[in-house]
Amino acid sequence: MKKLLILFVLMSSTSFSQGGPSFNFEKNKAFKITMKGASDFAKADLVSRQMEKMQLAIFSVVDPQTSTGFFIVDNINKVQGIEKALNNLNGFSFVAFEEVSLTEDLFLEMYLKRGGFEKADYSKNKPKQIMMGPDVNLTNSLYRKAIDLWEKDYSKAYQNNLNGRPEHYPVFVSTGNPEKDSYSFELAKQEWIKNYPKEAESYSGIPYQGEKAK
């Protein structure tokens, strides 16, 4: 009995120490998965977070306009798990999948899109750290890769764009909730227009019709 107890303790400590899947850009695989049900931002975000929470996907992003997502996994068998999970998720169903190359461009686009940025804004905004639940190592490794790739592709354009922005132009802040962050950024821009109308008029070329400029 004592030997069994010791064995159970050892097995338990080993399983807890292993944690979830780790991000390895060179070894991980990417799959494009088409589904039904991810018809708006909240539903698309639910799929991503649920697959990550179940440790079926290391990182993912789902486009509500096409109900299609990209999922990074550490094992091709995880796709079967995603299929089963989607079919068991109320209001969702799995349609099809295909393996795609996990390129630097794909990963960076996934990360920026998950952060709430449109493609036209990639060069204007640095990636913001996306929290992957309690897994600090996964959060940091994904973020470091995104920053490295972004700096290689967009840092020069970002500096040029930043230098051309008005002094008080608001900064986009990502908290990992793209819908909320986009809304907050729009409110900040409205406050900027209200408080610095001359800057706004000069930057956008659209005459401000509100209060007098400062």
Side-chain angles (χ1 to χ4, degrees):
M1 181 68 179
K2 188 174 181 180
K3 289 182 178 180
L4 288 174
L5 181 60
I6 293 174
L7 179 61
F8 174 76
V9 171
L10 289 173
M11 291 176 64
S12 299
S13 61
T14 301
S15 62
F16 283 125
S17 65
Q18 288 177 345
S22 59
F23 176 61
N24 186 321
F25 181 79
E26 287 71 28
K27 294 183 179 180
N28 293 152
K29 298 180 180 297
F31 289 86
K32 180 181 179 180
I33 296 178
T34 305
M35 65 199 76
K36 291 182 179 178
S39 54
D40 58 40
F41 170 80
K43 293 176 181 178
D45 188 59
L46 172 65
V47 171
S48 291
R49 296 182 185 279
Q50 190 70 14
M51 298 307 113
E52 292 162 0
K53 183 178 180 180
M54 296 173 69
Q55 297 186 0
L56 295 172
I58 296 172
F59 187 72
S60 60
V61 63
V62 178
D63 185 349
Q65 294 183 345
T66 61
S67 204
T68 299
F70 289 94
F71 297 78
I72 297 175
V73 302
D74 59 357
N75 189 315
I76 190 173
N77 294 327
K78 295 291 181 69
V79 178
Q80 296 177 340
I82 293 173
E83 177 179 1
K84 184 177 180 180
L86 276 172
N87 289 332
N88 289 331
L89 198 59
N90 188 31
F92 297 87
S93 61
F94 183 96
V95 176
F97 79 94
E98 62 175 303
E99 184 173 0
V100 296
S101 297
L102 181 55
T103 62
E104 292 182 345
D105 288 343
L106 175 61
F107 174 76
L108 183 57
E109 184 168 355
M110 287 177 64
Y111 200 91
L112 289 168
K113 186 174 287 188
R114 179 72 176 267
F117 298 117
E118 297 294 333
K119 194 161 189 174
D121 296 324
Y122 289 175
S123 65
K124 303 174 185 176
N125 299 278
K126 287 184 178 182
K128 303 298 181 181
Q129 191 175 64
I130 298 173
M131 302 305 296
M132 304 301 293
D135 195 334
V136 176
N137 289 333
L138 180 58
T139 294
N140 291 338
S141 59
L142 289 167
Y143 178 60
R144 282 196 300 268
K145 185 65 175 179
I147 284 291
D148 288 344
L149 295 178
W150 183 89
E151 288 182 345
K152 184 175 74 171
D153 292 347
Y154 297 112
S155 59
K156 186 175 180 180
Y158 173 75
Q159 288 301 324
N160 291 339
N161 183 71
L162 189 63
N163 292 336
R165 285 184 179 180
E167 179 183 357
H168 303 95
Y169 190 83
V171 176
F172 183 93
V173 177
S174 175
T175 64
N177 186 332
E179 189 173 38
K180 179 182 177 182
D181 296 339
S182 295
Y183 179 71
S184 298
F185 187 49
E186 286 302 318
L187 289 181
K189 285 195 290 186
Q190 292 303 317
E191 283 296 309
W192 167 65
I193 292 171
K194 177 182 176 181
N195 295 325
Y196 302 96
K198 279 189 175 180
E199 278 189 1
E201 182 176 335
S202 175
Y203 186 57
S204 65
I206 301 174
Y208 179 69
Q209 304 297 327
E211 301 173 6
K212 290 185 178 180
K214 290 188 176 182

